[in-house]
Amino acid sequence: MDGLNHFLGAIAEIGFSAQIIVVFWATLLGITVGMIPGLTATLGVALVTTLTFTMEQNTAILVLICVYIGAIYGGGRTAILLNIPGTPANAASALEGFPLARKGRAGEAMAVATTGSFLGSVVGMVGLALVAPWLAEFALDFTSFEFFWLAVFGIVLCGQLTAMDDALKGWIAGFFGLLVAMVGQESIHAYARFSYGIRDLEGGFGLLPVLVGAFGCTEVFIVMRQEATRAVAGKVTGVFHSALSSFGHARTWLRSGFIGTFMGVVPGVGEDMGAWVSYAAAKRASKRKEEYGQGSTEGLLAAETGNNAAVPGALIPVLTLAIPGSAPAAVLLAAMIIHGLRPGPLIMITQADFFYSVVAMVFWASCAMLILGLLLTRPLLLILKVRREWLMGIIFVLCTVGAFAIAGRIFDVWVMIGFGLIGFLMREAGFPVAPMILGVVLGPILDNNLRRSLALTQGDPIPFVTRPISAVIATLVFLIIIFSLPPVRRRVASLRTRFMGGER
C-alpha cells in the first residue's frame, strides 16, 4: 500500500507541474531520434546525457527515460514506411509493417505500432513496479562472490543471444569489453594498469566516450559507405480506428508484454531480442500463420509490444543490481551515477521515492508516446524525407562535443573516434557491439568483486562455487557455454529429432 501511495504521489508530482511539458518535448525528441535511420536509442540517450549536466537529478533522468522510450517507438516508423528499422529493436517490425504500407495500409500499421508500444510500456511498467522491489530485497543476500558471477553471467548470456549464429563472436566481444575496462587505476591500491606511462590512460576509458563512439561514430562511418535511402510515399488513413481495434488483441499484447519485460531483465539482451522472441511466440500461437511476412497486424503488434516492454524491463536490473539490461540502459545507468544517484540493492531502503518516481516517469512517457504518436502521424513523416547522409555531419559534431563535454579532455574525443573505428570493424566482421559495451560496464563490477572475494578468502577460490547462490549462477554460466558449443547443439538437435520422430 505504501508503494502505491508513493507511485500515485510521483504521478501527481509530474502531472501537475511544469515537468509534464518536459515529458512531451523529451518524448518527441526521442521519437524524432528513433525515426532517423542510424540515430539509435543508445546514441540518442548518450548525446542527451551530455546536455543534462546542469539539470536537477529527477528532471535529468525524466528527460533520458522519455528519450529512451520515444526512440524505441520512433524506430518503428522507418521500419514500416522505408523497410529500414530506425533502431535495431524495430527490425522485426519491418517484416510486417512494410508489407502493410505497400498495400496502402500505412496508417493502420502505424496505429497498431503506436498502440502496441503503449501497451508494452504499460505491461513493462507493471513488471518494474512489482518485480524490482522483490529483486532488490533478494539481492541484499548477494555478496562479492555473487556479484562476480552475475557479471560473468551477463556477458556470457549477452554474447550468446546477440550473436546467435556464432556465440564465440559474442563472447570475444564481451571479454574484449572487459579488457577495455581494465585500463587505468584499479580501485584498491590505485595502481595504473595498461597505461604504458601515458597519463591520460591512467584514468581509464570513460564509459560515455566509448558508448558515443561505438554507436554514434560507428553509424557515421557505416552511412558513409551506404547508398542513399529512398523517399517516403503513400497515404495515411484509418489511424484511430486501428488503434482502438488493437486493444482487442489482449492475448497477443499481454503475451508479448511479459516476454519483452523478461528479455529486458536479462543483462545486455535488450529490446531487439524482446521484439524477435515476442514475434516468434505470436507466430507460433497464431491461427493465421500464412499472413506472417505478408503484412500481419498481429505480428506487428507483437513485435512493437515486445520491444517497448523491454524498456521498463531493462530498468529493473539497473535500479536493483546496477547492471544494465540493454545498451541504452547502460547509458542511463552512467547518467544516474553522474547525477549522484546510487542504484543497487539498497535503492528500496535509501531511495524508495526515486524508484517510484522512475515508475511514474515510465507511465507519463508512455502516455506522451501514445498521444504524440497518434496526433502527429502525418507531421512526423516530414522528418523521414531528410536524407540521413545530410545528418551525419551534424551527428559527428554532436558526438565530438558530447565526448569532450564530459571531462573537457581532447583524449576523450580520440577515444570516441577510436571506438567508432573499432565498432565499424566489428560490425563489418560480424561481431556484435552490445556485448563489448556490456563488458565495459560490468568490468569494474567483475574486477572489484573478484579481488575483494579473493582478499576475504586469502586467495582461496573454492567459495566461488560452494556458496549456494554462487553455485547456481556458476552452473548457469557453464550450461550456457556447453549448450552453445556446435557439437553439443548438433547432438541435442539430433536427439530432439529422434524423439519427435519416435512420438509420431
Side-chain angles (χ1 to χ4, degrees):
M1 197 66 184
D2 287 340
L4 180 61
N5 291 334
H6 280 296
F7 174 58
L8 294 176
I11 285 181
E13 183 180 352
I14 296 173
F16 296 101
S17 69
Q19 285 189 324
I20 195 66
I21 300 174
V22 175
V23 169
F24 277 89
W25 73 252
T27 305
L28 181 59
L29 175 61
I31 294 172
T32 305
V33 167
M35 286 179 65
I36 301 173
L39 301 192
T40 63
T42 307
L43 174 59
V45 177
L47 290 178
V48 175
T49 296
T50 62
L51 306 177
T52 63
F53 292 157
T54 58
M55 294 182 181
E56 187 268 332
Q57 281 182 347
N58 281 18
T59 303
I61 303 305
L62 174 63
V63 168
L64 296 176
I65 287 177
C66 290
V67 170
Y68 185 4
I69 290 176
I72 295 298
Y73 159 69
R77 296 298 175 96
T78 49
I80 293 168
L81 295 168
L82 296 176
N83 201 26
I84 302 172
T87 71
N90 305 105
S93 304
L95 296 180
E96 306 300 339
F98 188 63
L100 283 169
R102 293 183 66 181
K103 294 176 182 178
R105 299 165 62 188
E108 180 183 349
M110 286 189 286
V112 169
T114 302
T115 309
S117 298
F118 170 75
L119 293 170
S121 294
V122 170
V123 173
M125 179 197 71
V126 174
L128 171 63
L130 296 178
V131 175
W134 171 83
L135 184 59
E137 185 177 353
F138 176 69
L140 290 174
D141 294 330
F142 283 24
T143 62
S144 55
F145 300 94
E146 286 76 25
F147 275 107
F148 165 78
W149 280 116
L150 203 60
V152 176
F153 174 77
I155 294 168
V156 170
L157 186 60
C158 178
Q160 197 268 336
L161 292 177
T162 55
M164 290 170 32
D165 56 334
D166 188 357
L168 183 60
K169 287 186 175 181
W171 296 337
I172 290 173
F175 285 97
F176 172 70
L178 284 179
L179 292 177
V180 170
M182 296 301 107
V183 176
Q185 292 181 340
E186 46 85 24
S187 60
I188 297 179
H189 302 293
Y191 181 79
R193 300 178 296 192
F194 308 109
S195 62
Y196 305 105
I198 301 173
R199 199 167 183 81
D200 285 320
L201 283 177
E202 292 181 3
F205 294 114
L207 176 60
L208 282 180
V210 172
L211 280 165
V212 172
F215 288 98
C217 197
T218 293
E219 201 63 42
V220 173
F221 295 147
I222 288 174
V223 170
M224 286 169 60
R225 65 189 300 271
Q226 289 180 342
E227 296 180 1
T229 57
R230 58 192 178 282
V232 180
K235 296 181 179 180
V236 178
T237 56
V239 173
F240 290 97
H241 177 268
S242 301
L244 290 174
S245 64
S246 298
F247 284 89
H249 299 279
R251 182 177 299 177
T252 299
W253 58 259
L254 280 173
R255 182 202 310 114
S256 301
F258 289 133
I259 291 173
T261 304
F262 175 75
M263 298 307 294
V265 173
V266 178
V269 174
E271 301 80 19
D272 47 347
M273 287 302 299
W276 282 114
V277 176
S278 298
Y279 177 79
K283 184 176 182 180
R284 195 179 302 115
S286 178
K287 297 178 181 178
R288 295 174 292 182
K289 293 184 176 66
E290 69 280 357
E291 294 184 4
Y292 279 72
Q294 308 299 319
S296 168
T297 54
E298 184 183 56
L300 178 60
L301 178 66
E304 284 294 307
T305 303
N307 63 28
N308 278 269
V311 175
L315 297 179
I316 294 174
V318 166
L319 294 171
T320 58
L321 301 173
I323 292 176
S326 65
V331 186
L332 190 60
L333 173 61
M336 288 181 182
I337 295 172
I338 289 171
H339 284 282
L341 298 165
R342 289 293 177 267
L346 294 175
I347 190 167
M348 297 305 299
I349 298 173
T350 60
Q351 300 175 9
D353 288 340
F354 172 70
F355 168 77
Y356 289 107
S357 293
V358 170
V359 180
M361 292 172 192
V362 172
F363 171 78
W364 281 115
S366 303
C367 293
M369 174 186 65
L370 178 66
I371 295 169
L372 293 171
L374 294 177
L375 294 180
L376 301 181
T377 296
R378 291 180 180 85
L380 285 172
L381 295 183
L382 298 175
I383 298 169
L384 297 175
K385 294 188 177 182
V386 180
R387 291 177 58 183
R388 60 175 174 165
E389 291 80 5
W390 299 348
L391 294 169
M392 288 303 112
I394 299 173
I395 299 307
F396 186 77
V397 170
L398 289 174
C399 289
T400 304
V401 171
F404 179 78
I406 297 163
R409 298 193 305 171
I410 293 296
F411 175 74
D412 287 334
V413 177
W414 289 113
V415 169
M416 182 268 296
I417 295 173
F419 277 90
L421 290 170
I422 291 172
F424 173 76
L425 294 174
M426 287 177 67
R427 287 174 62 171
E428 289 293 301
F431 286 84
V433 177
M436 180 189 74
I437 297 301
L438 189 66
V440 175
V441 173
L442 297 182
I445 296 174
L446 185 147
D447 178 46
N448 293 340
N449 286 290
L450 172 64
R451 299 170 69 222
R452 190 177 296 120
S453 300
L454 291 175
L456 290 172
T457 62
Q458 297 181 340
D460 184 9
I462 298 300
F464 281 100
V465 292
T466 56
R467 296 172 60 89
I469 300 177
S470 291
V472 171
I473 303 175
T475 302
L476 290 174
V477 169
F478 288 117
L479 286 175
I480 292 171
I481 294 173
I482 291 170
F483 281 99
S484 297
L485 298 175
V488 177
R489 291 172 66 178
R490 285 194 294 267
R491 181 62 177 167
V492 170
S494 66
L495 289 173
R496 184 185 303 158
T497 304
R498 188 181 306 170
F499 175 75
M500 295 298 291
E503 277 191 342
R504 292 173 186 170

